[in-house]
Amino acid sequence: MAAGKAGGLKRYHDLNGWLFIAPSILLISIFLVYPILRSLYLSFFSGKGMMMKFAGFGNVVRLSNDPVFLQALTNTITFFVVQVPIMIVLALLLAAVLNNDRLKFIGFFRTAIFLPCVASLVAYSVLFKSMFSVDGVVNQALLALHLTDAPIGWLTEPFWAKVLVILAITWRWTGYNMIFYLAALQNIDRSIYEAARIDGVPAWARFVYITVPMLKPVILFTTIISTIGTIQLFDEVYNLTEGRGSPANATLTLSLYIYNLTFRFMPSFGYAATISYVIVIMVALFSFLQFYAARDRS
């Protein structure tokens, strides 16, 4: 009798648990699982709407013969290789400087550096386009300092357009990573630094051999989320180039190319879905390599 009542009570609690998480499971299924499965299904088809036809691995073969895709892939990898290390190192150095409580106006500096990542994306894109236009304040400053003989075409020359995108991403997201480093730095036991200082260890050595190793988990985390964000780069390029990835596709990324294939050019949902899995593979590969490089070799 008691065993039966206990069993019934357990089933009642189990049912309540499933009812409690059912809305979350439903939402995840609708907005995460279904799109993943649907995009995988679409990747085996070409065309659109009623004109879609089975293409097998035709979209995969098309990738290697598509110069625009290869350009977008090259641009995405370039942004990842150049921008992520700059942002991680800069955020770490800023956190180390702003971890000094004796610094005046420390709250102002922390807020000012973090503010861009919560600012309006449209507002900051308009600001950058204005600052880096041919007659913008940046070119005027460079001319006044005699660092260039003519205005730089930040939005019209392929090389400088890439530089502008990297500057925009770095300016927007460095403060976000800095906050993680600040929180981690404030949790390091000060007695470790004091002992090293008493032993005569210079400041640079304390930073390299104490601070950096103790921040290893946070560095790994920020590197991975920065990698994911850069490989999925879309917002900054879309707003700075009005969705074109100009000039001459010099700033076109994989995410922007997917958008154009789906909503701007002749729709090709299957091909766009195939490219989205290229992004998935890249994120998984680079994340694995970062985990492997950061593993505990002891």
Side-chain angles (χ1 to χ4, degrees), residues 4-296:
K5 183 180 288 187
L9 186 61
K10 183 179 183 303
R11 286 191 295 272
Y12 172 76
H13 286 305
D14 290 343
L15 178 61
N16 281 344
W18 281 107
L19 290 175
F20 182 77
I21 65 174
S24 299
I25 294 176
L26 180 62
L27 291 174
I28 291 173
S29 300
I30 293 174
F31 296 106
L32 182 62
V33 177
Y34 173 74
I36 291 174
L37 297 177
R38 179 64 177 174
S39 63
L40 181 61
Y41 170 79
L42 288 174
S43 67
F44 292 99
F45 290 81
S46 62
K48 64 170 184 173
M50 299 298 293
M51 302 300 293
M52 290 185 65
K53 59 181 181 179
F54 184 75
F57 291 98
N59 287 323
V60 177
V61 175
R62 180 180 171 184
L63 292 175
S64 60
N65 299 318
D66 182 1
V68 180
F69 164 76
L70 296 176
Q71 178 69 56
L73 178 63
T74 302
N75 293 340
T76 301
I77 294 176
T78 300
F79 290 139
F80 161 68
V81 171
V82 176
Q83 187 267 331
V84 171
I86 292 175
M87 187 166 60
I88 295 301
V89 172
L90 183 59
L92 181 56
L93 293 177
L94 288 172
V97 172
L98 296 179
N99 192 41
N100 185 357
D101 293 332
R102 290 174 294 180
L103 182 67
K104 292 183 178 181
F105 308 111
I106 189 171
F108 168 79
F109 289 121
R110 289 176 177 177
T111 303
I113 295 172
F114 178 73
L115 189 61
C117 75
V118 296
S120 168
L121 180 62
V122 175
Y124 112 89
S125 299
V126 171
L127 174 65
F128 255 75
K129 290 175 72 173
S130 174
M131 289 174 57
F132 288 88
S133 62
V134 174
D135 57 349
V137 63
V138 174
N139 273 330
Q140 291 182 14
L142 292 174
L143 289 170
L145 295 172
H146 303 288
L147 296 177
T148 181
D149 297 328
I152 296 175
W154 295 96
L155 294 170
T156 57
E157 298 180 21
F159 173 78
W160 292 113
K162 284 187 173 70
V163 172
L164 178 59
V165 171
I166 291 172
L167 288 174
I169 305 169
T170 303
W171 179 79
R172 183 170 175 80
W173 295 112
T174 296
Y176 178 79
N177 289 326
M178 182 196 72
I179 293 299
F180 290 103
Y181 293 133
L182 269 175
L185 285 169
Q186 291 170 2
N187 283 321
I188 297 177
D189 190 349
R190 294 296 173 184
S191 63
I192 301 175
Y193 292 109
E194 185 65 21
R197 189 185 63 81
I198 293 173
D199 288 339
V201 179
W204 68 267
R206 294 198 297 269
F207 179 79
V208 172
Y209 296 109
I210 296 178
T211 302
V212 173
M214 297 192 75
L215 292 179
K216 184 177 177 180
V218 182
I219 293 174
L220 176 62
F221 170 75
T222 54
T223 302
I224 289 176
I225 62 172
S226 298
T227 297
I228 294 172
T230 304
I231 292 176
Q232 296 178 338
L233 180 62
F234 174 82
D235 295 338
E236 287 80 2
V237 177
Y238 179 86
N239 283 279
L240 289 173
T241 67
E242 299 178 357
R244 296 190 297 267
S246 57
N249 292 330
T251 59
L252 183 69
T253 61
L254 291 175
S255 294
L256 183 57
Y257 190 34
I258 291 172
Y259 171 83
N260 289 337
L261 285 170
T262 306
F263 299 108
R264 296 194 64 182
F265 305 149
M266 180 64 71
S268 182
F269 300 142
Y271 189 49
T274 304
I275 298 176
S276 71
Y277 277 92
V278 173
I279 295 178
V280 171
I281 293 171
M282 290 176 64
V283 168
L285 176 62
F286 287 128
S287 298
F288 170 78
L289 291 176
Q290 288 162 1
F291 270 113
Y292 182 80
R295 74 192 189 282
D296 188 355

